[in-house]
PDB file of all heavy atoms in Angstrom:
ATOM      1  N   PHE A1261     -63.340 175.358  17.318  1.00  0.00           N
ATOM      2  CA  PHE A1261     -62.535 176.567  17.161  1.00  0.00           C
ATOM      3  C   PHE A1261     -63.272 177.502  16.207  1.00  0.00           C
ATOM      4  O   PHE A1261     -63.849 177.050  15.217  1.00  0.00           O
ATOM      5  CB  PHE A1261     -61.175 176.254  16.527  1.00  0.00           C
ATOM      6  CG  PHE A1261     -60.204 175.516  17.407  1.00  0.00           C
ATOM      7  CD1 PHE A1261     -60.596 174.877  18.572  1.00  0.00           C
ATOM      8  CD2 PHE A1261     -58.867 175.453  17.050  1.00  0.00           C
ATOM      9  CE1 PHE A1261     -59.691 174.187  19.364  1.00  0.00           C
ATOM     10  CE2 PHE A1261     -57.945 174.776  17.825  1.00  0.00           C
ATOM     11  CZ  PHE A1261     -58.359 174.134  18.985  1.00  0.00           C
ATOM     12  N   LEU A1279     -62.280 177.555  21.483  1.00  0.00           N
ATOM     13  CA  LEU A1279     -61.168 178.481  21.209  1.00  0.00           C
ATOM     14  C   LEU A1279     -61.576 179.463  20.126  1.00  0.00           C
ATOM     15  O   LEU A1279     -62.267 179.088  19.174  1.00  0.00           O
ATOM     16  CB  LEU A1279     -59.921 177.698  20.771  1.00  0.00           C
ATOM     17  CG  LEU A1279     -58.648 178.475  20.435  1.00  0.00           C
ATOM     18  CD1 LEU A1279     -57.402 177.659  20.815  1.00  0.00           C
ATOM     19  CD2 LEU A1279     -58.568 178.859  18.959  1.00  0.00           C
ATOM     20  N   LYS A1315     -60.287 179.075  25.491  1.00  0.00           N
ATOM     21  CA  LYS A1315     -58.966 179.549  25.112  1.00  0.00           C
ATOM     22  C   LYS A1315     -59.103 180.667  24.093  1.00  0.00           C
ATOM     23  O   LYS A1315     -59.971 180.612  23.210  1.00  0.00           O
ATOM     24  CB  LYS A1315     -58.119 178.417  24.523  1.00  0.00           C
ATOM     25  CG  LYS A1315     -57.801 177.308  25.527  1.00  0.00           C
ATOM     26  CD  LYS A1315     -56.957 176.199  24.908  1.00  0.00           C
ATOM     27  CE  LYS A1315     -56.615 175.144  25.956  1.00  0.00           C
ATOM     28  NZ  LYS A1315     -55.797 174.038  25.399  1.00  0.00           N
ATOM     29  N   VAL A1317     -56.621 183.112  21.520  1.00  0.00           N
ATOM     30  CA  VAL A1317     -55.321 183.436  20.940  1.00  0.00           C
ATOM     31  C   VAL A1317     -55.495 184.716  20.119  1.00  0.00           C
ATOM     32  O   VAL A1317     -56.353 184.783  19.235  1.00  0.00           O
ATOM     33  CB  VAL A1317     -54.796 182.302  20.041  1.00  0.00           C
ATOM     34  CG1 VAL A1317     -53.477 182.707  19.391  1.00  0.00           C
ATOM     35  CG2 VAL A1317     -54.636 181.017  20.851  1.00  0.00           C
ATOM     36  N   TYR A1327     -51.489 184.310  24.176  1.00  0.00           N
ATOM     37  CA  TYR A1327     -52.158 183.030  24.390  1.00  0.00           C
ATOM     38  C   TYR A1327     -52.788 183.043  25.782  1.00  0.00           C
ATOM     39  O   TYR A1327     -52.095 183.171  26.790  1.00  0.00           O
ATOM     40  CB  TYR A1327     -51.159 181.886  24.266  1.00  0.00           C
ATOM     41  CG  TYR A1327     -50.627 181.712  22.861  1.00  0.00           C
ATOM     42  CD1 TYR A1327     -49.543 182.464  22.410  1.00  0.00           C
ATOM     43  CD2 TYR A1327     -51.207 180.814  21.983  1.00  0.00           C
ATOM     44  CE1 TYR A1327     -49.052 182.327  21.111  1.00  0.00           C
ATOM     45  CE2 TYR A1327     -50.730 180.666  20.678  1.00  0.00           C
ATOM     46  CZ  TYR A1327     -49.652 181.423  20.263  1.00  0.00           C
ATOM     47  OH  TYR A1327     -49.185 181.276  18.980  1.00  0.00           O
ATOM     48  N   PHE A1334     -49.808 184.072  28.488  1.00  0.00           N
ATOM     49  CA  PHE A1334     -48.448 184.469  28.165  1.00  0.00           C
ATOM     50  C   PHE A1334     -48.410 184.987  26.735  1.00  0.00           C
ATOM     51  O   PHE A1334     -49.393 184.872  25.985  1.00  0.00           O
ATOM     52  CB  PHE A1334     -47.467 183.295  28.343  1.00  0.00           C
ATOM     53  CG  PHE A1334     -47.902 182.019  27.691  1.00  0.00           C
ATOM     54  CD1 PHE A1334     -47.623 181.773  26.354  1.00  0.00           C
ATOM     55  CD2 PHE A1334     -48.614 181.071  28.407  1.00  0.00           C
ATOM     56  CE1 PHE A1334     -48.040 180.602  25.749  1.00  0.00           C
ATOM     57  CE2 PHE A1334     -49.031 179.892  27.809  1.00  0.00           C
ATOM     58  CZ  PHE A1334     -48.746 179.658  26.481  1.00  0.00           C
ATOM     59  N   MET A1353     -51.648 179.345  12.065  1.00  0.00           N
ATOM     60  CA  MET A1353     -51.673 179.304  13.526  1.00  0.00           C
ATOM     61  C   MET A1353     -52.831 178.449  14.022  1.00  0.00           C
ATOM     62  O   MET A1353     -52.672 177.631  14.928  1.00  0.00           O
ATOM     63  CB  MET A1353     -51.772 180.726  14.082  1.00  0.00           C
ATOM     64  CG  MET A1353     -50.566 181.604  13.830  1.00  0.00           C
ATOM     65  SD  MET A1353     -50.772 183.277  14.503  1.00  0.00           S
ATOM     66  CE  MET A1353     -50.760 182.905  16.271  1.00  0.00           C
ATOM     67  N   ALA A1355     -54.363 176.056  12.419  1.00  0.00           N
ATOM     68  CA  ALA A1355     -54.083 174.657  12.099  1.00  0.00           C
ATOM     69  C   ALA A1355     -53.169 174.035  13.145  1.00  0.00           C
ATOM     70  O   ALA A1355     -53.399 172.908  13.609  1.00  0.00           O
ATOM     71  CB  ALA A1355     -53.455 174.555  10.710  1.00  0.00           C
ATOM     72  N   ALA A1356     -52.112 174.745  13.519  1.00  0.00           N
ATOM     73  CA  ALA A1356     -51.183 174.226  14.518  1.00  0.00           C
ATOM     74  C   ALA A1356     -51.868 174.063  15.875  1.00  0.00           C
ATOM     75  O   ALA A1356     -51.610 173.091  16.601  1.00  0.00           O
ATOM     76  CB  ALA A1356     -49.971 175.148  14.639  1.00  0.00           C
ATOM     77  N   LEU A1357     -52.733 174.997  16.239  1.00  0.00           N
ATOM     78  CA  LEU A1357     -53.473 174.886  17.492  1.00  0.00           C
ATOM     79  C   LEU A1357     -54.405 173.674  17.468  1.00  0.00           C
ATOM     80  O   LEU A1357     -54.543 172.959  18.473  1.00  0.00           O
ATOM     81  CB  LEU A1357     -54.285 176.161  17.736  1.00  0.00           C
ATOM     82  CG  LEU A1357     -53.463 177.422  18.056  1.00  0.00           C
ATOM     83  CD1 LEU A1357     -54.335 178.668  17.926  1.00  0.00           C
ATOM     84  CD2 LEU A1357     -52.875 177.330  19.469  1.00  0.00           C
ATOM     85  N   ALA A1358     -55.043 173.431  16.321  1.00  0.00           N
ATOM     86  CA  ALA A1358     -55.920 172.269  16.198  1.00  0.00           C
ATOM     87  C   ALA A1358     -55.115 170.971  16.303  1.00  0.00           C
ATOM     88  O   ALA A1358     -55.528 170.013  16.971  1.00  0.00           O
ATOM     89  CB  ALA A1358     -56.675 172.324  14.874  1.00  0.00           C
ATOM     90  N   LEU A1359     -53.969 170.937  15.639  1.00  0.00           N
ATOM     91  CA  LEU A1359     -53.106 169.761  15.708  1.00  0.00           C
ATOM     92  C   LEU A1359     -52.660 169.506  17.140  1.00  0.00           C
ATOM     93  O   LEU A1359     -52.692 168.365  17.628  1.00  0.00           O
ATOM     94  CB  LEU A1359     -51.894 169.981  14.806  1.00  0.00           C
ATOM     95  CG  LEU A1359     -50.783 168.928  14.861  1.00  0.00           C
ATOM     96  CD1 LEU A1359     -51.300 167.588  14.363  1.00  0.00           C
ATOM     97  CD2 LEU A1359     -49.584 169.375  14.040  1.00  0.00           C
ATOM     98  N   ALA A1360     -52.241 170.568  17.819  1.00  0.00           N
ATOM     99  CA  ALA A1360     -51.782 170.426  19.201  1.00  0.00           C
ATOM    100  C   ALA A1360     -52.900 169.926  20.110  1.00  0.00           C
ATOM    101  O   ALA A1360     -52.683 169.065  20.971  1.00  0.00           O
ATOM    102  CB  ALA A1360     -51.245 171.772  19.699  1.00  0.00           C
ATOM    103  N   GLU A1361     -54.099 170.452  19.914  1.00  0.00           N
ATOM    104  CA  GLU A1361     -55.242 170.021  20.730  1.00  0.00           C
ATOM    105  C   GLU A1361     -55.573 168.560  20.458  1.00  0.00           C
ATOM    106  O   GLU A1361     -55.837 167.780  21.389  1.00  0.00           O
ATOM    107  CB  GLU A1361     -56.447 170.910  20.445  1.00  0.00           C
ATOM    108  CG  GLU A1361     -57.608 170.728  21.409  1.00  0.00           C
ATOM    109  CD  GLU A1361     -57.294 171.212  22.812  1.00  0.00           C
ATOM    110  OE1 GLU A1361     -56.622 172.251  22.962  1.00  0.00           O
ATOM    111  OE2 GLU A1361     -57.728 170.518  23.767  1.00  0.00           O
ATOM    112  N   GLY A1364     -53.104 166.395  22.186  1.00  0.00           N
ATOM    113  CA  GLY A1364     -52.991 166.548  23.630  1.00  0.00           C
ATOM    114  C   GLY A1364     -51.739 167.258  24.104  1.00  0.00           C
ATOM    115  O   GLY A1364     -51.268 167.007  25.221  1.00  0.00           O
ATOM    116  N   LEU A1365     -51.184 168.158  23.296  1.00  0.00           N
ATOM    117  CA  LEU A1365     -49.984 168.879  23.696  1.00  0.00           C
ATOM    118  C   LEU A1365     -50.306 169.909  24.772  1.00  0.00           C
ATOM    119  O   LEU A1365     -51.398 170.496  24.780  1.00  0.00           O
ATOM    120  CB  LEU A1365     -49.355 169.590  22.495  1.00  0.00           C
ATOM    121  CG  LEU A1365     -48.856 168.710  21.347  1.00  0.00           C
ATOM    122  CD1 LEU A1365     -48.188 169.573  20.286  1.00  0.00           C
ATOM    123  CD2 LEU A1365     -47.897 167.632  21.837  1.00  0.00           C
ATOM    124  N   PRO A1366     -49.379 170.167  25.686  1.00  0.00           N
ATOM    125  CA  PRO A1366     -49.583 171.227  26.676  1.00  0.00           C
ATOM    126  C   PRO A1366     -49.759 172.585  25.987  1.00  0.00           C
ATOM    127  O   PRO A1366     -49.309 172.795  24.862  1.00  0.00           O
ATOM    128  CB  PRO A1366     -48.290 171.181  27.505  1.00  0.00           C
ATOM    129  CG  PRO A1366     -47.717 169.816  27.280  1.00  0.00           C
ATOM    130  CD  PRO A1366     -48.109 169.442  25.880  1.00  0.00           C
ATOM    131  N   TRP A1367     -50.378 173.523  26.703  1.00  0.00           N
ATOM    132  CA  TRP A1367     -50.715 174.824  26.139  1.00  0.00           C
ATOM    133  C   TRP A1367     -49.475 175.572  25.660  1.00  0.00           C
ATOM    134  O   TRP A1367     -49.482 176.205  24.600  1.00  0.00           O
ATOM    135  CB  TRP A1367     -51.470 175.627  27.189  1.00  0.00           C
ATOM    136  CG  TRP A1367     -52.047 176.952  26.778  1.00  0.00           C
ATOM    137  CD1 TRP A1367     -52.006 178.097  27.501  1.00  0.00           C
ATOM    138  CD2 TRP A1367     -52.793 177.277  25.593  1.00  0.00           C
ATOM    139  NE1 TRP A1367     -52.664 179.118  26.850  1.00  0.00           N
ATOM    140  CE2 TRP A1367     -53.161 178.637  25.660  1.00  0.00           C
ATOM    141  CE3 TRP A1367     -53.185 176.549  24.469  1.00  0.00           C
ATOM    142  CZ2 TRP A1367     -53.877 179.289  24.672  1.00  0.00           C
ATOM    143  CZ3 TRP A1367     -53.915 177.193  23.471  1.00  0.00           C
ATOM    144  CH2 TRP A1367     -54.249 178.545  23.578  1.00  0.00           C
ATOM    145  N   ARG A1368     -48.386 175.492  26.407  1.00  0.00           N
ATOM    146  CA  ARG A1368     -47.176 176.193  25.982  1.00  0.00           C
ATOM    147  C   ARG A1368     -46.575 175.564  24.725  1.00  0.00           C
ATOM    148  O   ARG A1368     -46.050 176.267  23.861  1.00  0.00           O
ATOM    149  CB  ARG A1368     -46.151 176.237  27.115  1.00  0.00           C
ATOM    150  CG  ARG A1368     -46.528 177.253  28.189  1.00  0.00           C
ATOM    151  CD  ARG A1368     -45.523 177.319  29.319  1.00  0.00           C
ATOM    152  NE  ARG A1368     -45.874 178.406  30.234  1.00  0.00           N
ATOM    153  CZ  ARG A1368     -45.380 179.641  30.173  1.00  0.00           C
ATOM    154  NH1 ARG A1368     -44.471 179.934  29.254  1.00  0.00           N
ATOM    155  NH2 ARG A1368     -45.760 180.576  31.023  1.00  0.00           N
ATOM    156  N   GLU A1369     -46.644 174.249  24.614  1.00  0.00           N
ATOM    157  CA  GLU A1369     -46.156 173.609  23.394  1.00  0.00           C
ATOM    158  C   GLU A1369     -47.059 173.950  22.209  1.00  0.00           C
ATOM    159  O   GLU A1369     -46.583 174.116  21.078  1.00  0.00           O
ATOM    160  CB  GLU A1369     -46.071 172.097  23.600  1.00  0.00           C
ATOM    161  CG  GLU A1369     -44.997 171.672  24.584  1.00  0.00           C
ATOM    162  CD  GLU A1369     -43.631 172.241  24.221  1.00  0.00           C
ATOM    163  OE1 GLU A1369     -43.192 172.036  23.067  1.00  0.00           O
ATOM    164  OE2 GLU A1369     -43.018 172.912  25.080  1.00  0.00           O
ATOM    165  N   ALA A1370     -48.361 174.047  22.460  1.00  0.00           N
ATOM    166  CA  ALA A1370     -49.289 174.471  21.410  1.00  0.00           C
ATOM    167  C   ALA A1370     -48.945 175.873  20.928  1.00  0.00           C
ATOM    168  O   ALA A1370     -48.973 176.165  19.723  1.00  0.00           O
ATOM    169  CB  ALA A1370     -50.722 174.429  21.923  1.00  0.00           C
ATOM    170  N   ALA A1371     -48.592 176.769  21.869  1.00  0.00           N
ATOM    171  CA  ALA A1371     -48.229 178.136  21.505  1.00  0.00           C
ATOM    172  C   ALA A1371     -46.957 178.172  20.677  1.00  0.00           C
ATOM    173  O   ALA A1371     -46.849 178.920  19.692  1.00  0.00           O
ATOM    174  CB  ALA A1371     -48.066 178.977  22.771  1.00  0.00           C
ATOM    175  N   ARG A1372     -45.977 177.376  21.046  1.00  0.00           N
ATOM    176  CA  ARG A1372     -44.732 177.333  20.278  1.00  0.00           C
ATOM    177  C   ARG A1372     -44.988 176.848  18.850  1.00  0.00           C
ATOM    178  O   ARG A1372     -44.502 177.430  17.882  1.00  0.00           O
ATOM    179  CB  ARG A1372     -43.725 176.405  20.970  1.00  0.00           C
ATOM    180  CG  ARG A1372     -43.168 176.938  22.270  1.00  0.00           C
ATOM    181  CD  ARG A1372     -42.143 175.986  22.870  1.00  0.00           C
ATOM    182  NE  ARG A1372     -41.700 176.438  24.166  1.00  0.00           N
ATOM    183  CZ  ARG A1372     -40.743 177.341  24.367  1.00  0.00           C
ATOM    184  NH1 ARG A1372     -40.134 177.871  23.315  1.00  0.00           N
ATOM    185  NH2 ARG A1372     -40.394 177.705  25.582  1.00  0.00           N
ATOM    186  N   LEU A1373     -45.767 175.785  18.735  1.00  0.00           N
ATOM    187  CA  LEU A1373     -46.062 175.238  17.414  1.00  0.00           C
ATOM    188  C   LEU A1373     -46.859 176.232  16.582  1.00  0.00           C
ATOM    189  O   LEU A1373     -46.593 176.421  15.385  1.00  0.00           O
ATOM    190  CB  LEU A1373     -46.832 173.930  17.565  1.00  0.00           C
ATOM    191  CG  LEU A1373     -47.167 173.180  16.269  1.00  0.00           C
ATOM    192  CD1 LEU A1373     -45.900 172.785  15.534  1.00  0.00           C
ATOM    193  CD2 LEU A1373     -48.028 171.960  16.573  1.00  0.00           C
ATOM    194  N   SER A1374     -47.829 176.887  17.196  1.00  0.00           N
ATOM    195  CA  SER A1374     -48.665 177.853  16.496  1.00  0.00           C
ATOM    196  C   SER A1374     -47.844 179.043  16.003  1.00  0.00           C
ATOM    197  O   SER A1374     -47.980 179.491  14.851  1.00  0.00           O
ATOM    198  CB  SER A1374     -49.783 178.326  17.431  1.00  0.00           C
ATOM    199  OG  SER A1374     -50.530 179.370  16.856  1.00  0.00           O
ATOM    200  N   THR A1375     -46.980 179.560  16.859  1.00  0.00           N
ATOM    201  CA  THR A1375     -46.147 180.699  16.484  1.00  0.00           C
ATOM    202  C   THR A1375     -45.197 180.328  15.353  1.00  0.00           C
ATOM    203  O   THR A1375     -45.020 181.086  14.382  1.00  0.00           O
ATOM    204  CB  THR A1375     -45.355 181.196  17.700  1.00  0.00           C
ATOM    205  OG1 THR A1375     -46.270 181.539  18.755  1.00  0.00           O
ATOM    206  CG2 THR A1375     -44.522 182.408  17.351  1.00  0.00           C
ATOM    207  N   ALA A1376     -44.595 179.155  15.452  1.00  0.00           N
ATOM    208  CA  ALA A1376     -43.667 178.701  14.411  1.00  0.00           C
ATOM    209  C   ALA A1376     -44.391 178.480  13.090  1.00  0.00           C
ATOM    210  O   ALA A1376     -43.875 178.828  12.019  1.00  0.00           O
ATOM    211  CB  ALA A1376     -42.970 177.417  14.861  1.00  0.00           C
ATOM    212  N   ALA A1377     -45.587 177.907  13.136  1.00  0.00           N
ATOM    213  CA  ALA A1377     -46.342 177.653  11.907  1.00  0.00           C
ATOM    214  C   ALA A1377     -46.741 178.955  11.226  1.00  0.00           C
ATOM    215  O   ALA A1377     -46.673 179.076   9.998  1.00  0.00           O
ATOM    216  CB  ALA A1377     -47.585 176.818  12.222  1.00  0.00           C
ATOM    217  N   LEU A1399     -39.165 176.140  15.692  1.00  0.00           N
ATOM    218  CA  LEU A1399     -39.682 175.894  17.046  1.00  0.00           C
ATOM    219  C   LEU A1399     -38.734 176.376  18.136  1.00  0.00           C
ATOM    220  O   LEU A1399     -39.154 177.015  19.108  1.00  0.00           O
ATOM    221  CB  LEU A1399     -39.986 174.403  17.230  1.00  0.00           C
ATOM    222  CG  LEU A1399     -41.307 173.892  16.664  1.00  0.00           C
ATOM    223  CD1 LEU A1399     -41.371 172.371  16.751  1.00  0.00           C
ATOM    224  CD2 LEU A1399     -42.478 174.520  17.395  1.00  0.00           C
ATOM    225  N   VAL A1402     -38.764 180.134  19.112  1.00  0.00           N
ATOM    226  CA  VAL A1402     -39.936 180.770  19.718  1.00  0.00           C
ATOM    227  C   VAL A1402     -39.638 181.113  21.174  1.00  0.00           C
ATOM    228  O   VAL A1402     -39.202 180.261  21.961  1.00  0.00           O
ATOM    229  CB  VAL A1402     -41.168 179.849  19.642  1.00  0.00           C
ATOM    230  CG1 VAL A1402     -42.362 180.503  20.356  1.00  0.00           C
ATOM    231  CG2 VAL A1402     -41.515 179.560  18.186  1.00  0.00           C
ATOM    232  N   LEU A1404     -41.291 182.530  24.661  1.00  0.00           N
ATOM    233  CA  LEU A1404     -42.501 182.811  25.432  1.00  0.00           C
ATOM    234  C   LEU A1404     -42.131 183.651  26.630  1.00  0.00           C
ATOM    235  O   LEU A1404     -41.095 183.440  27.260  1.00  0.00           O
ATOM    236  CB  LEU A1404     -43.177 181.514  25.880  1.00  0.00           C
ATOM    237  CG  LEU A1404     -43.546 180.502  24.796  1.00  0.00           C
ATOM    238  CD1 LEU A1404     -44.236 179.285  25.408  1.00  0.00           C
ATOM    239  CD2 LEU A1404     -44.447 181.127  23.732  1.00  0.00           C
TER     240      LEU A1404
END
Side-chain angles (χ1 to χ4, degrees):
F1261 289 15
L1279 180 147
K1315 295 180 178 180
V1317 177
Y1327 293 85
F1334 49 86
M1353 294 179 68
L1357 291 166
L1359 173 64
E1361 191 68 39
L1365 297 183
W1367 186 223
R1368 285 180 174 266
E1369 292 306 306
R1372 290 182 185 277
L1373 183 61
S1374 173
T1375 303
L1399 279 172
V1402 177
L1404 304 181

